[in-house]
Amino acid sequence: MTHPVQPTRVPTAPSTATATGPATATGPAFDPFDPAHLADPYHGYRVLRETDPVHFHRGDGTAAHPDFWALSRYADVDVAVCDPETFSSASGLTFYRDEIARLGLAPTIVMMDPPEHSGKRRLLAKAFSPKRVAETEPQIRDFVRGRLAEMAERFDDDEVVDLHADFSSQIPTFVLARLFDLPAADRPLFDPWVSALTTLQEEGFRPAGLESGAVAAVAEMFAYFGELITERRANPGQDLISALAEAEIEGERLDDWDILGFCFVIVAGGNDTTGNLISHTVALLDAHPRQREMLVADPGLIPGALSECLRYESSVQALARTTTREATVDGVTIPAGEKVMMLYASANRDEREFGPTAEELDITRENTGHLSFSRGPHFCIGSHFARLQARVAVEELYAAHPAVGVDVGAAVRALSPFTRGFVSLPATGFDAPRP
């Protein structure tokens, strides 16, 4: 996948730093605007959990670096995301003010609260059912096998094979195109849309982000899907958009905007996050070869391993809510109208929930109750979709190349306070013999 900004090369290994207090010699331990923090945020999260779990981050007085709050402990995040009456999604999911208006959007389902959200979600869930998603498994498996065969051939020819760009990120793009029944010629449209939106996540609602093409990408995406919805309403097929257009509960149907918003969420929110789950899993297992051997010997471990890797390296690091009224968390009062970041990735490594091994990878871990798909009314509606794609990808990858690994020294990360993932992740071990 192409990327329109200069990324940063960083290793993927977890930090071994220990929490020493709310600040370091070079500045705050937690600073979502600092590339060094974004390259390895886990030290900063640990500091917050231990010393400042209800953190007020003071900005510089500009829209580019706003004030906001952050919750870092599992229990606090869990309670907050299950309380939309106090912690609302209706003002956007980042710490930036007026983010919806700046993109020229009306609120999508992820930016709604109950009861409006509840009705829309029921209709979406009716069309986007686990059964409909499960029916795509044979197509996903065929595509994955084809990608692996092509990558192995290139590897044999001494070409560089990029696990993320050539494999992980290609799977959700293919699957979404099949789910929407898009012409094969239109599939390349997804990459620039996702790249522009990823740049916006990295640069934020600062000039570099807004001028990077994100606004134009959103407009282009909506125009494309708007025409597709009109066509499918007139000539419905067996695809997801047709199912969304026809979904009905007690006489209620989705309007065009609801369907457009869902398409936007799936493309912008589900594409990179699923690809990064696959890439993180391979990178983490390469760093833990004994656990990789266990998984190769027993593929039944794969679903649990994916859940553990998602806990350990959450594709979605943090999203915001806005307080509708004064809220007290751990004895700290947050005023009404404040942006509050839910640090999912920090909560997922909280020793209070996962015990003394919370910052260790264990694919046999019994407690897999991570918050990477959130919780409550906004639990990720596409979670079953992400799990299916990742499971098939990992099953086929290790069946064909049981010693596959990655070159973490040459990895290129996409740096964002909201998501965590890769632009590039060179692969190794394609030619290693089965043990």
Side-chain angles (χ1 to χ4, degrees), residues 174-192:
F174 165 80
V175 175
L176 287 176
R178 292 303 297 263
L179 206 60
F180 291 143
D181 193 22
L182 305 183
D186 290 353
R187 291 174 195 163
L189 294 171
F190 279 74
D191 281 357

Side-chain angles (χ1 to χ4, degrees), residues 297-350:
D298 181 5
L301 293 173
I302 289 175
L306 288 169
S307 186
E308 172 67 354
C309 290
L310 193 56
R311 180 196 71 85
Y312 193 82
E313 279 278 25
S314 181
S315 298
V316 178
Q317 292 277 293
L319 292 175
R321 302 288 192 270
T322 302
T323 50
T324 61
R325 56 195 178 195
E326 189 176 273
T328 300
V329 182
D330 284 343
V332 178
T333 298
I334 303 174
E338 294 289 294
K339 288 275 192 171
V340 185
M341 290 295 287
M342 307 295 160
L343 300 180
Y344 299 124
S346 174
N348 284 344
R349 294 197 184 190
D350 189 350

Side-chain angles (χ1 to χ4, degrees), residues 157-281:
D157 291 339
D158 295 325
E159 295 183 31
V160 174
V161 175
D162 192 309
L163 183 90
H164 187 74
D166 296 333
F167 183 67
S168 304
S169 68
Q170 296 297 318
I171 296 168
T173 297
F174 165 80
V175 175
L176 287 176
R178 292 303 297 263
L179 206 60
F180 291 143
D181 193 22
L182 305 183
D186 290 353
R187 291 174 195 163
L189 294 171
F190 279 74
D191 281 357
W193 291 342
V194 173
S195 291
L197 292 167
T198 301
T199 302
L200 184 65
Q201 291 175 359
E202 294 179 14
E203 294 294 339
F205 291 83
R206 294 173 275 179
L210 290 172
E211 294 170 6
S212 67
V215 174
V218 170
E220 183 179 314
M221 189 190 316
F222 273 48
Y224 178 86
F225 280 108
E227 292 179 6
L228 200 60
I229 292 166
T230 299
E231 176 191 324
R232 299 293 164 78
R233 284 198 187 278
N235 300 289
Q238 300 301 311
D239 59 285
L240 178 59
I241 292 178
S242 296
L244 291 169
E246 295 176 339
E248 180 178 326
I249 297 179
E250 297 179 353
E252 181 184 2
R253 288 197 170 197
L254 296 165
D255 61 27
D256 284 9
W257 177 259
D258 294 324
I259 300 173
L260 272 173
F262 181 72
C263 293
F264 172 79
V265 169
I266 287 290
V267 174
N271 222 53
D272 264 13
T273 52
T274 301
N276 283 316
L277 167 58
I278 298 167
S279 291
H280 275 137
T281 297

